[in-house]
């Protein structure tokens, strides 16, 4: 069957289109005034002092660990339940990602397991490819699907082990957390983590096609990331060619080519302006899924928390496999056959060939992630999703649950 409900559909309006046209007509295509405006407005939106616009979240994460001085052979705690980028930037620096299991309910990093992995390093019980003398210097956490971790807990953990914190907030804009109802909200990106990195990839909560942002309160870290984002040059092209600076740049360090274009920033400025209304739309769709699936025993629904403003980038249901006569892969195929686009977030890193072969991690080292990923299916959730589309997804999921329910098989027998 053709796809009736896509997994995602970007929400782009006349504002984005006209701003892109304005950029094309302006004659300035690469990083320039629109990027600067996007940075200033994004920093304000998350409550950070500095924002550096980049061409991906991967670039932001790479520049973050570079700016923090990550050295070859150093160790960084990284969740196994994440996308490739979170760990590969550690490898870019020749450092060692020390994978950590997830919380079985939220899928976010389990800090108790992070402590165990550090103890395992001291006691020599981690897999042999991880050298015993690895100096662990930092922790990168991911707010999976847009449900923020208890960032206070992360910071306490990091402080007690002398680690810097980078937040991979690819999914978490806009999002917020508070320790309890009597405490004030803290936006994702506000506060004391060293650097927070966002993604504006096509499927993210706001998009620039491809794009990312790194935010920090530390001017030195921001300056270093900005320098390294453009070949380590002493000043950028906008400075060189706009009449605001000299032509004679200096190479200060062997940097990268990670700058965002004004064409992309033109889209971002308008996406940013409607970020909260798009978040509310996703929240309303999540609410409809919660209502519709409330009595469906074959499913567990993603966690909600009154102390979190959830970005609802993802709506990952968990299949109760003991109640279903099929596995997750068959469930996904059945959804596709019913015209529903869906995805899985994620096969954990320790179950990917590179991490298995390089570090010899086994499934038993991450019991929660190993068990959880077999049950995960992310349903469509995007602004502009119509009532008919939501109802189609609900009906398809419920029909598959009824068709494959073990309870039904038992009655038939
Ligand atoms: C958790 C996480 N981190 C980082 C990234 C990388 O983002 P980008 O494609 O902008 O580099 C992704 C992309 O999906 C992601 O899901």
């Amino acid at each position: 069957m053709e796809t009736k409900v896509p997994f995602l559909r970007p929400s782009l309006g006349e504002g984005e289109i006209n701003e892109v046209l304005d950029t094309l007509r302006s004659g300035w295509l690469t990083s320039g005034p629109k990027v600067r405006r996007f940075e200033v407005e994004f920093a304000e939106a998350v409550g950070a002092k500095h924002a550096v616009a980049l061409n991906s979240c991967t670039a932001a994460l790479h520049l973050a660990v570079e700016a923090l001085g990550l050295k070859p052979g150093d160790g960084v705690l990284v969740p196994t339940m994440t996308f490739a980028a979170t760990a590969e930037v550690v490898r870019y620096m020749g450092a060692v990602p020390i994978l950590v299991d997830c919380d079985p309910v939220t899928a976010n990093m389990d800090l108790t397991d992070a402590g165990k992995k550090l103890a395992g390093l001291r006691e020599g019980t981690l897999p042999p490819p991880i050298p015993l003398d690895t100096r662990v210097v930092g922790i990168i956490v991911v707010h999976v699907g847009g449900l923020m971790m208890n960032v206070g807990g992360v910071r306490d953990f990091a402080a007690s082990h002398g680690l810097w914190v980078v937040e991979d907030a690819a999914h978490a804009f806009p999002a917020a957390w508070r320790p309890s109802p009597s405490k004030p909200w803290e936006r994702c990106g506000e506060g004391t983590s060293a650097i927070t990195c966002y993604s504006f990839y096509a499927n993210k909560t706001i998009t620039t096609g491809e794009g990312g942002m790194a935010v920090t309160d530390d001017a030195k870290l921001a300056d270093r990331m900005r320098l390294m984002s453009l070949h380590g040059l002493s000043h950028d092209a906008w400075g060189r060619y706009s009449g605001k600076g000299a032509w004679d740049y200096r190479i200060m360090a062997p940097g990268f080519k990670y700058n965002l274009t004004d064409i992309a920033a033109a889209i971002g400025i308008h996406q940013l302006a409607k970020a909260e209304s798009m978040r509310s739309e996703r929240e309303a769709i999540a609410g409809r899924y919660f209502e519709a699936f409330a009595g469906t025993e074959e499913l567990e629904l993603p966690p909600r928390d009154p102390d979190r403003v959830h970005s609802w980038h993802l709506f990952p249901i968990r299949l109760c496999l003991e109640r279903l006569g099929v596995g997750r892969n068959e469930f996904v195929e059945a959804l596709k056959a019913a015209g529903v686009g869906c995805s899985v977030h994620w096969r954990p890193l320790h179950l990917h060939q590179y991490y298995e072969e390089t570090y010899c991690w086994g499934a038993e080292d991450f019991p929660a992630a190993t068990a959880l990923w077999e049950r995960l299916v992310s349903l469509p959730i995007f602004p502009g999703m119509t009532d008919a589309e939501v109802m189609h997804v609900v009906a398809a999921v419920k029909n598959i649950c009824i068709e494959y329910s073990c309870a039904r098989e038992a009655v038939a027998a």
Side-chain angles (χ1 to χ4, degrees), residues 56-59 61 82-83 85-86 142 168 170-171 199-201 204 210-211 346:
S56 72
C57 182
T58 308
L61 290 164
T82 187
F83 181 63
T86 322
V142 177
D168 176 342
H171 299 185
S199 174
F200 310 135
Y201 178 63
K204 294 302 191 292
E210 297 276 2
W346 298 274

Side-chain angles (χ1 to χ4, degrees), residues 341-357:
C342 58
S343 191
V344 172
H345 296 88
W346 298 274
R347 172 188 283 274
L349 294 182
H350 70 274
L351 299 179
H352 283 276
Q353 188 177 337
Y354 174 76
Y355 289 96
E356 265 172 351
E357 287 179 1

Side-chain angles (χ1 to χ4, degrees), residues 53-128:
L54 300 159
N55 59 15
S56 72
C57 182
T58 308
L61 290 164
H62 186 190
L63 293 180
V65 293
E66 199 279 338
L68 287 161
L70 185 62
K71 297 280 177 300
D74 285 348
V76 179
L77 295 166
V78 173
T80 188
M81 190 54 103
T82 187
F83 181 63
T86 322
E88 78 196 16
V89 299
V90 175
R91 296 296 303 126
Y92 292 175
M93 305 301 295
V96 183
I98 297 178
L99 300 184
V100 178
D101 206 359
C102 68
D103 178 278
V105 176
T106 63
N108 284 333
M109 186 190 273
D110 174 4
L111 291 178
T112 307
D113 191 59
K116 280 191 200 154
K117 293 295 191 288
L118 288 179
L121 190 59
R122 284 195 300 274
E123 291 155 12
T125 55
L126 294 193

Side-chain angles (χ1 to χ4, degrees), residues 8-9 39 81 139 143 158 177 191 256 258 260 283 302 333 341 350 386:
L8 78 122
R9 193 165 51 226
E39 289 177 338
M81 190 54 103
I139 180 169
H143 306 300
W177 76 284
F256 309 97
Y258 282 162
L260 190 75
E283 188 167 59
E333 285 311 310
H350 70 274
T386 64

Side-chain angles (χ1 to χ4, degrees), residues 263-306:
I263 302 171
I267 305 172
I269 288 163
H270 289 268
Q271 290 275 293
L272 180 59
K274 56 191 191 190
E276 180 50 34
S277 74
M278 293 197 292
R279 192 202 70 80
S280 308
E281 277 194 64
R282 289 190 299 274
E283 188 167 59
I285 295 162
R288 294 193 56 192
Y289 282 151
F290 274 103
E291 234 171 76
F293 297 134
T296 309
E297 292 185 341
E298 291 79 13
L299 305 179
E300 268 170 30
L301 300 177
R304 286 188 282 190
D305 187 332

